[in-house]
């Protein structure tokens, strides 16, 4: 049930630490691609569909990995008070970064304040036992749409002061992200980490659920519900399908035993793991680049800009890889580690 045991083989320990980094790497790549969509407004319908799914994957996958990372911190047994304080400081720092980035003038719907609140609320819930945590996760997921519908219809919220409205947006009213929808993925990540990252009945169940959930979302949105809002059950089903499929694929690659599997695994995992370890720095860098373009163009490009797309997606990934290769932790990760009392070390040669 734990991340590792004393007699666990070294291979298993490394694998179970690498998989969250790889998933985080997938999430940051997906977010970069999603935010670069305005750079290529004129694309074939099929490509637009693919980019729409990439956009849908990014934030719930980030939430899942945050839950896994939070559980790893709890597994280190650093004391309840100290762990809660560290996670709270990190959450507040993410909120502060997100609020500051909103002033940059980019077209990005900044996610950091939502993730910061997610950590503030979600980390203490990991004190629950696994069965209780599963029940809480299921209850929040089932209650999500009724809560959102109530919040959308509560006119009194919109007459509150700006700070109150902002917090309401973070919790339930945000057009792109909401605590109500991200929290179940966060808790699920912790549950998966407790269970152990391996090929077993849980993984094969997720592999079966993934296409069913995704297809149910597509069919329901086309034939049953005329107006599917972000955060509704059908929208969440699509997220479940995408996140489950990504998790299953990454774990299966990690478990490959075929001849030459290590070479394939390294080729796939090495860059994703590197980007995952500097994901927060990459996020700030690419939003800064987008803000520069938004000011330079006085808005969004009216025609496809391959150079703009490359600068928003490929350039940060190259910079991130080089930074990780020669320095180690990203600069933002290093600062957050110092603020929360968990300093990052430079990558050993």
């Amino acid at each position: 049930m734990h991340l590792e045991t004393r007699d666990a083989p070294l291979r298993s320990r490394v694998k179970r630490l690498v998989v969250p980094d790889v998933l985080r790497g997938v999430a940051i790549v997906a977010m970069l691609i999603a935010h670069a969509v305005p750079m290529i407004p004129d694309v074939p319908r099929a490509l637009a569909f693919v980019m729409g799914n990439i956009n849908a994957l990014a934030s719930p996958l980030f939430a899942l990995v945050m839950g896994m990372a939070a559980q790893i911190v709890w597994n280190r047994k650093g004391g309840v008070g100290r762990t809660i304080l560290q996670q709270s400081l990190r959450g507040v720092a993410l909120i502060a970064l997100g609020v500051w980035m909103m002033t940059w003038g980019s077209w990005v719907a900044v996610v950091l304040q939502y993730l910061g609140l997610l950590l503030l609320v979600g980390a203490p819930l990991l004190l629950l036992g696994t069965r209780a945590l599963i029940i809480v996760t299921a209850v929040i997921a089932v209650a999500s749409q009724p809560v959102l519908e109530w919040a959308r219809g509560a006119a009194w919220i919109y007459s509150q002061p700006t700070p109150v409205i902002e917090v309401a947006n973070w919790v339930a009213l945000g057009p792109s992200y909401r605590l109500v929808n991200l929290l179940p993925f966060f808790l699920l990540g912790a549950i998966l980490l407790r269970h152990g990252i391996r090929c077993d009945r849980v993984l094969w169940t997720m592999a079966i659920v993934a296409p069913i959930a995704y297809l149910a979302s597509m069919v329901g949105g086309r034939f049953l519900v005329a107006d599917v809002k972000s955060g509704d059950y059908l929208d969440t089903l699509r997220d479940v399908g995408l996140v489950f499929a990504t998790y299953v694929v990454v774990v299966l690659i990690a478990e490959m035993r075929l001849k030459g599997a290590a070479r394939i695994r390294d080729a796939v995992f090495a860059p994703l793991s590197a980007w995952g370890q500097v994901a927060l720095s990459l996020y700030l860098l690419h939003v800064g680049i987008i803000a520069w373009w938004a000011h330079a163009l006085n808005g969004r490009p009216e025609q496809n800009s391959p150079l703009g797309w490359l600068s928003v997606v490929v350039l940060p990934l190259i910079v991130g890889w080089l930074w990780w290769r020669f320095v180690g932790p990203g600069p933002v990760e290093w600062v957050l580690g110092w603020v929360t009392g968990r300093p990052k070390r430079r990558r050993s040669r």
Side-chain angles (χ1 to χ4, degrees):
M1 295 293 292
H2 295 286
L3 174 63
E4 60 184 58
T5 58
R6 288 187 179 181
D7 58 350
L10 179 60
R11 176 194 57 78
S12 177
R13 297 184 186 183
V14 172
K15 174 195 66 180
R16 293 187 182 186
L17 291 174
V18 167
V19 166
D21 282 336
V22 171
L23 291 171
R24 192 184 299 110
V26 174
I28 189 61
V29 172
M31 193 155 282
L32 265 61
I33 293 173
H35 292 163
V37 168
M39 285 293 185
I40 46 174
D42 184 18
V43 296
R45 188 173 181 178
L47 182 57
F49 175 79
V50 171
M51 291 191 298
N53 282 282
I54 291 174
N55 181 36
L57 169 68
S59 59
L61 186 58
F62 261 123
L64 185 90
V65 179
M66 283 189 70
M68 299 176 77
Q71 186 60 53
I72 290 173
V73 174
W74 278 116
N75 288 353
R76 292 172 181 167
K77 302 184 184 301
V80 173
R82 181 180 179 183
T83 301
I84 289 291
L85 177 60
Q86 288 177 336
Q87 299 287 49
S88 298
L89 289 173
R90 183 175 179 82
V92 171
L94 289 174
I95 291 173
L97 275 174
V99 172
W100 175 48
M101 292 173 69
M102 289 292 292
T103 67
W104 291 7
S106 72
W107 56 67
V108 173
V110 178
V111 72
L112 294 188
Q113 58 269 48
Y114 299 87
L115 297 182
L117 182 62
L118 177 64
L119 194 58
L120 290 174
V121 175
L125 291 176
L126 301 190
L127 290 170
L128 296 172
T130 301
R131 290 184 179 179
L133 195 60
I134 292 173
I135 293 172
V136 169
T137 303
V139 169
I140 295 173
V142 171
S144 60
Q145 183 165 324
V147 169
L148 293 180
E149 290 175 349
W150 172 84
R152 292 164 185 159
W156 60 270
I157 295 178
Y158 301 95
S159 63
Q160 301 302 309
T162 300
V164 176
I165 296 177
E166 281 301 309
V167 174
N169 285 333
W170 301 345
V171 174
L173 296 177
S176 301
Y177 316 113
R178 290 153 302 276
L179 172 68
V180 171
N181 296 118
L182 293 176
L183 187 55
F185 287 100
F186 178 94
L187 300 179
L188 176 62
I191 293 168
L192 289 172
L193 202 289
R194 291 183 184 187
H195 174 76
I197 304 173
R198 58 179 180 266
C199 287
D200 60 3
R201 287 182 296 178
V202 171
L203 189 76
W204 298 124
T205 300
M206 293 176 70
I208 295 171
V209 169
I212 294 174
Y214 185 85
L215 290 175
S217 172
M218 296 296 102
V219 172
R222 185 174 181 86
F223 298 107
L224 300 179
V225 181
D227 182 21
V228 178
K229 296 181 176 64
S230 178
D232 287 354
Y233 289 144
L234 289 178
D235 183 62
T236 299
L237 277 176
R238 179 180 66 166
D239 295 348
V240 168
L242 294 170
V243 170
F244 277 28
T246 302
Y247 179 85
V248 168
V249 169
V250 169
V251 174
L252 287 178
I253 294 175
E255 292 281 358
M256 284 193 308
R257 298 289 181 270
L258 300 175
K259 183 177 181 180
R263 182 177 300 177
I264 297 173
R265 184 163 49 242
D266 290 345
V268 175
F269 278 10
L272 289 172
S273 177
W275 294 326
Q277 293 178 62
V278 296
L280 188 54
S281 297
L282 284 182
Y283 185 80
L284 267 73
L285 173 61
H286 103 279
V287 173
I289 294 172
I290 290 173
W292 181 88
W293 277 107
H295 289 295
L297 299 173
N298 195 26
R300 304 186 182 194
E302 297 180 358
Q303 298 177 341
N304 288 350
S305 173
L307 177 61
W309 191 92
L310 291 171
S311 69
V312 171
V313 178
V314 178
L315 177 61
L317 294 179
I318 294 174
V319 172
W321 168 260
L322 292 175
W323 185 282
W324 175 86
R325 177 67 179 82
F326 294 104
V327 180
V332 182
E333 284 81 1
W334 187 89
V335 171
L336 274 184
W338 179 79
V339 169
T340 59
R342 293 170 54 202
K344 303 287 185 180
R345 297 180 180 179
R346 292 184 60 184
R347 191 175 62 84
S348 62
R349 295 183 184 277

